[in-house]
């Protein structure tokens, strides 16, 4: 066996080990999401997670120091998943500002992002006093990026449409409130309020603020 062949073999084995670690970590994060959706933050333990993942406690301890680090990585995963959903669209130079703003809106209510299981995790962190500080610390950078991006897009729309009486910060702040409120509706009233309802109501709001750039949805969404 040549040195080149041996090195290739080592690289392949290393890549497989890395892939295996990532697969295990993702299994544990998925199981944590499932556990929190069933048992809540306080009811989720290493045992509930390993039981759902079908893995041993030793494997969990190998990947995560304790439950706190597992929770932190789960929250980071959800935050980055949501950010990546809209970031590519926002970076597309061919899209107009209003299309980029809608990409952020739609990312909030994408079925893969806004599932009831994942919403239960988000609101679990909101609702547990002991984890709110942890949420702010972990999510501050991601939330700030979205906030600043929304403001810049609104500023461009305002300049393009001559909306002199509209403040970009006010629109971005209202959007953030609508995101949280509608996500809560989806979690609590799954049979009465849908992802499409949420997107339609936000589009109606944007059409009222920026009538030259957004159209009011034809059909009225249901109210929760």
């Amino acid at each position: 066996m040549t040195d080149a062949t041996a090195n290739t073999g080592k690289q392949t084995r290393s890549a497989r080990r890395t892939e295996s670690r990532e697969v295990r970590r993702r299994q544990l994060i998925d199981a944590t999401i499932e556990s929190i959706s069933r048992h809540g933050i306080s009811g989720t333990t290493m045992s509930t997670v390993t039981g759902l993942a079908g893995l041993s406690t030793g494997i969990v301890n190998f990947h995560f120091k304790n439950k706190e680090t597992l929770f932190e990585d789960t929250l980071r995963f959800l935050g980055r998943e949501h950010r990546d959903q809209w970031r590519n669209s926002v970076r597309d130079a061919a899209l107009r500002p209003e299309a980029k703003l809608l990409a952020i809106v739609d990312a909030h209510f994408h079925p893969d992002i806004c599932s009831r299981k994942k919403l239960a995790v988000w609101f679990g962190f909101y609702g547990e006093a002991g984890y709110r500080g942890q949420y702010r610390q972990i999510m501050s950078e991601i939330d700030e990026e979205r906030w600043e991006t929304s403001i810049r897009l609104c500023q461009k729309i305002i300049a393009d449409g001559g909306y002199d009486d509209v403040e970009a910060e006010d629109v971005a702040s209202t959007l953030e409130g609508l995101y949280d409120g509608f996500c809560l509706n989806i979690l609590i009233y799954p049979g009465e309020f849908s992802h499409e309802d949420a997107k339609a109501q936000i589009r109606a709001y944007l059409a009222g603020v920026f009538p030259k750039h957004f159209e009011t949805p034809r059909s009225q969404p249901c109210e929760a």
Side-chain angles (χ1 to χ4, degrees), residues 2-217:
T2 65
D3 290 342
T5 302
N7 287 335
T8 299
K10 290 179 181 178
Q11 291 172 356
T12 300
R13 288 192 295 272
S14 177
R16 286 174 180 169
R17 285 196 296 270
T18 300
E19 181 180 356
S20 178
R21 284 196 295 269
E22 290 305 312
V23 169
R24 287 287 181 263
R25 287 178 66 87
R26 179 60 190 273
Q27 279 183 280
L28 292 167
I29 287 172
D30 287 343
T32 302
I33 293 170
E34 180 71 31
S35 179
I36 293 175
S37 72
R38 295 186 187 186
H39 309 295
I41 290 279
S42 59
T44 292
T45 65
M46 286 298 205
S47 295
T48 64
V49 171
T50 55
L52 289 166
L55 299 172
S56 68
T57 303
I59 291 179
V60 182
N61 292 333
F62 175 77
H63 291 284
F64 301 97
K65 184 186 302 183
N66 50 41
K67 187 176 78 170
E68 301 307 315
T69 58
L70 175 57
F71 279 8
E72 289 173 4
D73 274 23
T74 298
L75 188 57
R76 286 192 185 93
F77 167 79
L78 292 177
R80 290 166 181 166
E81 180 185 50
H82 172 261
R83 181 191 60 192
D84 293 345
Q85 185 69 30
W86 59 260
R87 199 186 239 179
N88 289 338
S89 295
V90 168
R91 291 177 173 177
D92 186 348
L95 292 180
R96 292 181 57 81
E98 56 268 31
K100 295 180 180 182
L101 189 60
L102 285 180
I104 297 177
V105 173
D106 292 344
H108 275 82
F109 305 105
H110 189 284
D112 292 339
I113 306 296
C114 191
S115 68
R116 295 190 71 234
K117 289 181 181 179
K118 293 177 180 178
L119 288 178
V121 177
W122 287 117
F123 285 104
F125 276 91
Y126 296 161
E128 289 280 346
Y131 286 96
R132 288 177 198 148
Q134 187 181 39
Y135 169 88
R136 288 193 298 269
Q137 182 180 3
I138 292 172
M139 295 300 299
S140 59
E141 182 179 346
I142 292 175
D143 287 344
E144 189 70 19
E145 180 183 352
R146 184 182 65 251
W147 165 257
E148 291 178 352
T149 300
S150 295
I151 290 175
R152 287 197 301 270
L153 294 173
C154 287
Q155 288 171 337
K156 291 179 181 179
I157 295 171
I158 289 169
D160 182 61
Y163 303 107
D164 298 331
D165 58 341
V166 179
E167 294 290 338
E169 291 83 356
D170 292 343
V171 178
S173 180
T174 299
L175 287 174
E176 291 293 322
L178 291 174
Y179 299 150
D180 290 343
F182 289 159
C183 282
L184 183 60
N185 276 354
I186 292 170
L187 178 63
I188 297 178
Y189 307 108
E192 302 170 34
F193 195 84
S194 70
H195 302 80
E196 295 305 315
D197 293 328
K199 290 190 289 186
Q201 289 202 20
I202 292 180
R203 279 167 167 75
Y205 163 71
L206 289 172
V209 178
F210 302 127
K212 299 175 187 177
H213 292 77
F214 297 93
E215 294 183 1
T216 302

